[in-house]
Amino acid sequence: MFERLSPFFSRAVVRAVVIAAVTLFVASALFTPQLNPVTRGSFLASVNVGPVWGELVQWRIAMIEARNELDGWPKDIQKYAPPIANPQLRVTSPRPNVLQADIAHHPELGKLAGTQVVVVLKPGTHTWTCRPGNPPIPPGYLPLNCLEGATDDFEPAQPAPDVDPFGWLRSLIVWCGVIFAVGAVVWVVRHPMIGAGQLRPARLRRTPLARLPQIDRLLRWLRRLEATLLAADIRMVDWRRAVLCAQTTGAEHAPALARALAERVSARCQPSSDWALPGQVFEWQFPPDLPVSLDRCMVFVPSPGIDEATVLRQLRAAQTGSDVLLILSGHSVDTPWPMLRAHADDRANLHVMVDSASQTEWLIGGEALQVLLRLLAAQLRITRISPYQTRGGVTREGAFFGRAQLLARVINREPANYLVVGGRQLGKSSLLKAVQRRMQGHPHTVCHYVSLRDHRLAPRMALQFGLPADTPLEAIVDHLQSQYQGKRLVLLIDEADLFFRDESHNGYAQLSTLRALSEEGRCWFMLAGFWDLYATAVLDYQSPLRNFGEVLAIGGLERAACRELATEPLRRLRLGFDNERLVDRLIDASGQRANLVAILCQECLEALAPGERVIEARHLTQALASQAVQDALAGWGRLSHDEAACRLDRIVVYHTAQAGQTSLVALAQLLHSHGITADAQALRQSLARLQLAYVLRKKDAEYRFAISLLQDQFEPAEVELLLHQELAVLAKTE
């Protein structure tokens, strides 16, 4: 039944009823005030106030005559009551010389009905005074001299009280003003453009972009623009820019919109040509600190007024390669593009639609980057923009977590030399690049990062700084000092193991130069490597690197940093783990190794089905058994260029896997039981190498796996076979 009646209660019908009611109210107040519920009381009171006061005057005259006749105030005033045909007053005398007049409760008396007035005769005179009683007669219907003076005994029968004959009209004007004020408030509140913004200002951020100019004009006309923007936490400069983008038309609309949106996410915007799309295309280059793996994307702005089907057809035919394509469409409740929305929601393509409301939020909201990430995560496969970097050093600041103590030791001190040692994929390169990012823009320090591909340090540095390849190290440093006069020079040299290995065979000629440059205060170095660097700096007493700088050993990440690394990038994409226990399980399984945490999270994302937003236990279990994790754990068998040392490393690992733990004594006994002479120094170096590679972890005198997943890699029968084979080969070599 209600469904059948609903058309009769549409907005148009309700509006017509309200207008009719207001018109009837005003017209009745003007032409038939006695029928209007608001003006009826005042109108009837003004009509009847004369007869009421006339009746009271007759009582006053009668009481003066009775006093003159009795030479005193009568005890029973009713004997001397004046003859009145239709009395409206009930008059009593609570004490001599006092008359209390109660006006009858008749509806036709209006506001006078049920009120009271008291008149007092001054003894020995004909002077009367009056005052309102209880309930009091309205002040507007009292005579001028009621509370102040006297009235003459021979005043006329119907005196003119202090009554405004147009009081009802003034009441009408006041009520009309109230009605129109309420109507104005309702109009503002219910206005389709600005109503929602007045009730909930934050909703302005999701208003379609095309509406902003009209909303801006209305709010300025109402003088509510600044207050509304303040309540919505929108900066005036952002609002004006968004309004300007919406107002721009013609050929300038697309470039203005694309540039404004790019500026909000610190992207560089430039036109892109040779596209068959019906509109303009731009290329955005994102900054390196973007918290997802997206260095650039294409942006497509359809031509105004073009048909949705045409756009969709051209998009399906366009070849964008591996680039993400942002589509700045006018999709909104006013101009819906449902087919394009469905196309963008299909994760099989790399098309992301930025609708009109999202464009507004992007331009005037405080978190433009979060809007971009939300749209990317909602319309693309998460693995396409995965925030986890699993290869090479971390270059994006948003993907770097932890190492706070190590960074503080380097950044917050006077310049010094540092030797960063650790296994592969433990974060040496990430630490050096983090140091470089933090030193960029320093007023007194200049920092350069150099990654070696081989043992030739001087040629690599010379080519990087635009010098001939045969330029010696001293000349390279002189060149840099001339470019940055007055600044401290810091060189970060990564992947330096081959260089140190070559130096150990050639008398440390270049290392001696590095030490001399540092001692002269001309340059400071931060060198990163694995075993060759460690052996050169710690084990070789004759090396120029001994006491050259502070040794920073890279191991596991802090547990709190591991938790941030696992959860924070997902949170930015509105993803997350089902519960905290899963995060703890992931951290424990990774042994707090940074790149392994990233790989496990990446594999969890790979395991998510389309539409899933929460990582559950089954996803983590699948990630732990993935090939990517197995590959990341491999490589510990080739930690040295010396085959004998590698064999000894494998024996240590296999024995640890077989027994669950190992020690120097247990290893010596194992070798002795197989007829092998135990070289304690070689065993100590093997244990140190495996610790440095984060394969083993020492506790007291025992060594265990640093990563629990390593233990799970070995089957008991396989471990025994592998261990005996390595021992047999080692015995033969002796």
Side-chain angles (χ1 to χ4, degrees):
M1 179 181 67
F2 292 105
E3 294 180 355
R4 292 194 299 268
L5 291 177
S6 60
F8 296 99
F9 295 96
S10 63
R11 290 186 177 182
V13 173
V14 172
R15 188 182 298 110
V17 171
V18 171
I19 293 174
V22 172
T23 303
L24 179 62
F25 172 82
V26 175
S28 63
L30 286 173
F31 300 108
T32 56
Q34 69 277 16
L35 301 179
N36 189 285
V38 175
T39 59
R40 175 181 173 81
S42 300
F43 179 79
L44 293 177
S46 63
V47 171
N48 291 282
V49 66
V52 168
W53 279 104
E55 184 175 341
L56 184 58
V57 167
Q58 293 184 51
W59 271 96
R60 289 161 56 184
I61 294 173
M63 290 301 101
I64 290 176
E65 291 177 351
R67 188 192 66 171
N68 292 337
E69 179 182 342
L70 300 175
D71 198 19
W73 189 262
K75 294 182 178 181
D76 184 7
I77 64 172
Q78 299 301 326
K79 292 182 179 180
Y80 302 93
I84 300 174
N86 186 20
Q88 301 292 340
L89 300 178
R90 184 175 65 84
V91 181
T92 58
S93 179
R95 60 181 181 275
N97 299 323
V98 176
L99 292 179
Q100 179 177 297
D102 295 286
I103 303 175
H105 279 277
H106 294 163
E108 61 271 13
L109 296 179
K111 289 186 176 182
L112 297 177
T115 60
Q116 185 185 85
V117 65
V118 178
V119 293
V120 180
L121 177 64
K122 291 184 178 181
T125 69
H126 291 170
T127 301
W128 293 85
T129 60
C130 72
R131 58 181 174 81
N134 187 23
I137 189 172
Y141 301 96
L142 292 172
L144 288 172
N145 58 355
C146 181
L147 296 176
E148 304 175 356
T151 57
D152 191 83
D153 180 36
F154 299 100
E155 59 189 326
Q158 295 186 356
D162 181 21
V163 178
D164 184 2
F166 298 102
W168 64 272
L169 187 58
R170 264 199 287 268
S171 298
L172 172 64
I173 295 173
V174 171
W175 275 100
C176 287
V178 170
I179 290 173
F180 285 115
V182 171
V185 172
V186 172
W187 178 81
V188 172
V189 171
R190 298 298 300 170
H191 194 282
M193 287 289 182
I194 62 174
Q198 297 296 296
L199 292 176
R200 284 183 286 177
R203 293 182 63 179
L204 277 178
R205 299 187 179 198
R206 293 288 300 170
T207 302
L209 188 64
R211 294 184 181 180
L212 296 191
Q214 186 174 357
I215 294 176
D216 181 73
R217 288 193 299 270
L218 289 170
L219 289 176
R220 289 182 185 277
W221 180 73
L222 293 171
R223 299 183 181 275
R224 290 284 302 162
L225 179 60
E226 292 186 5
T228 303
L229 296 184
L230 183 63
D233 196 20
I234 298 172
R235 298 190 309 165
M236 179 63 76
V237 62
D238 294 335
W239 174 262
R240 288 174 178 168
R241 176 170 46 192
V243 172
L244 184 61
C245 285
Q247 289 175 333
T248 305
T249 59
E252 291 299 321
H253 172 70
L257 180 59
R259 284 194 299 266
L261 293 173
E263 182 182 344
R264 293 284 291 166
V265 292
S266 303
R268 289 181 299 161
C269 178
Q270 60 184 14
S272 181
S273 57
D274 300 328
W275 289 85
L277 294 172
Q280 298 187 51
V281 180
F282 304 86
E283 179 184 339
W284 284 2
Q285 292 285 344
F286 291 107
D289 59 350
L290 194 71
V292 293
S293 58
L294 190 70
D295 57 351
R296 77 165 197 167
C297 74
M298 311 307 295
V299 179
F300 167 48
V301 185
S303 301
I306 194 167
D307 180 63
E308 178 189 13
T310 302
V311 173
L312 190 58
R313 184 171 59 254
Q314 295 291 341
L315 281 173
R316 287 171 174 166
Q319 298 295 326
T320 60
S322 60
D323 285 321
V324 173
L325 180 66
L326 298 184
I327 307 167
L328 307 183
S329 77
H331 172 75
S332 67
V333 294
D334 301 327
T335 56
W337 284 33
M339 292 188 295
L340 183 59
R341 164 61 73 186
H343 172 76
D345 287 339
D346 182 5
R347 296 171 185 260
N349 58 58
L350 296 177
H351 298 163
V352 177
M353 187 178 78
V354 185
D355 61 355
S356 186
S358 296
Q359 293 172 31
T360 301
E361 186 180 7
W362 191 317
L363 289 170
I364 67 177
E367 298 289 342
L369 184 58
Q370 291 303 317
V371 177
L372 172 62
L373 295 180
R374 186 184 71 231
L375 293 170
L376 293 175
Q379 301 179 51
L380 295 177
R381 288 193 177 98
I382 296 299
T383 52
R384 172 60 183 83
I385 56 169
S386 172
Y388 295 103
Q389 186 173 338
T390 59
R391 296 288 184 272
V394 174
T395 57
R396 301 190 305 272
E397 182 63 27
F400 184 82
F401 295 89
R403 310 295 187 196
Q405 293 182 350
L406 291 179
L407 283 172
R409 289 167 67 179
V410 176
I411 302 297
N412 299 335
R413 294 182 181 179
E414 288 295 314
N417 297 320
Y418 296 94
L419 307 176
V420 183
V421 295
R424 296 189 64 82
Q425 299 184 333
L426 283 179
K428 301 187 302 297
S429 299
S430 299
L431 179 65
L432 263 62
K433 291 176 180 178
V435 170
Q436 183 190 27
R437 288 194 298 271
R438 282 157 178 77
M439 287 188 175
Q440 279 180 346
H442 193 284
H444 306 298
T445 303
V446 61
C447 179
H448 287 285
Y449 174 86
V450 180
S451 180
L452 296 183
R453 299 186 180 92
D454 51 32
H455 64 281
R456 296 174 296 178
L457 174 62
R460 177 73 183 88
M461 291 178 59
L463 292 175
Q464 179 166 325
F465 299 124
L467 299 174
D470 57 353
T471 306
L473 282 173
E474 297 94 330
I476 295 173
V477 173
D478 290 340
H479 170 74
L480 293 175
Q481 285 184 321
S482 65
Q483 280 190 323
Y484 308 102
Q485 293 184 0
K487 292 188 177 183
R488 299 164 176 168
L489 180 60
V490 178
L491 293 178
L492 311 177
I493 302 175
D494 199 5
E495 302 290 347
D497 273 316
L498 292 176
F499 167 72
F500 293 120
R501 189 182 307 165
D502 181 74
E503 284 291 292
S504 66
H505 296 153
N506 293 284
Y508 301 114
Q510 294 188 84
L511 278 179
S512 299
T513 303
L514 294 182
R515 189 176 188 105
L517 290 171
S518 177
E519 289 175 349
E520 294 170 5
R522 298 170 62 188
C523 187
W524 286 267
F525 300 92
M526 192 170 184
L527 308 170
F530 176 48
W531 181 249
D532 292 286
L533 171 58
Y534 181 81
T536 305
V538 178
L539 303 181
D540 189 349
Y541 188 79
Q542 303 298 327
S543 167
L545 273 187
R546 193 169 182 86
N547 300 323
F548 173 75
E550 182 178 354
V551 177
L552 305 179
I554 299 293
L557 204 59
E558 305 94 326
R559 190 171 185 86
C562 286
R563 183 175 296 277
E564 289 184 3
L565 174 57
T567 59
E568 186 62 20
L570 295 177
R571 185 193 62 80
R572 294 168 182 162
L573 296 177
R574 298 193 174 185
L575 302 171
F577 288 87
D578 185 46
N579 53 70
E580 291 296 322
R581 294 188 302 276
L582 283 180
V583 182
D584 291 331
R585 180 185 169 192
L586 183 148
I587 295 173
D588 293 338
S590 69
Q592 297 177 221
R593 189 170 127 180
N595 85 305
L596 202 51
V597 173
I599 291 172
L600 284 170
C601 291
Q602 173 71 13
E603 292 302 309
C604 286
L605 293 179
E606 294 278 0
L608 288 176
E612 288 185 324
R613 314 290 297 174
V614 177
I615 296 174
E616 301 176 355
R618 56 189 175 89
H619 301 127
L620 180 56
T621 301
Q622 182 176 337
L624 292 172
S626 66
Q627 186 60 46
V629 172
Q630 303 303 315
D631 293 343
L633 295 174
W636 53 265
R638 301 290 300 177
L639 299 179
S640 172
H641 62 280
D642 184 359
E643 181 58 35
C646 291
R647 178 169 291 109
L648 195 56
D649 292 346
R650 292 194 290 271
I651 291 173
V652 173
V653 171
Y654 293 146
H655 183 258
T656 305
Q658 186 181 53
Q661 62 188 31
T662 192
S663 66
L664 182 63
V665 174
L667 289 169
Q669 292 174 350
L670 174 66
L671 295 178
H672 183 74
S673 66
H674 286 76
I676 304 171
T677 303
D679 185 346
Q681 189 62 29
L683 284 174
R684 291 186 63 183
Q685 289 190 12
S686 177
L687 290 169
R689 190 162 46 247
L690 290 168
Q691 276 187 274
L692 202 60
Y694 206 66
V695 176
L696 298 182
R697 180 182 296 168
K698 184 178 181 181
K699 185 176 183 182
D700 298 329
E702 295 181 344
Y703 296 84
R704 298 177 182 272
F705 283 121
I707 303 170
S708 61
L709 286 174
L710 279 171
Q711 180 72 54
D712 301 334
Q713 278 193 318
F714 303 105
E715 293 290 338
E718 293 179 354
V719 170
E720 185 175 359
L721 174 62
L722 293 171
L723 179 58
H724 282 288
Q725 284 183 348
E726 294 292 349
L727 289 169
V729 174
L730 184 60
K732 288 181 181 180
T733 57
E734 285 197 346

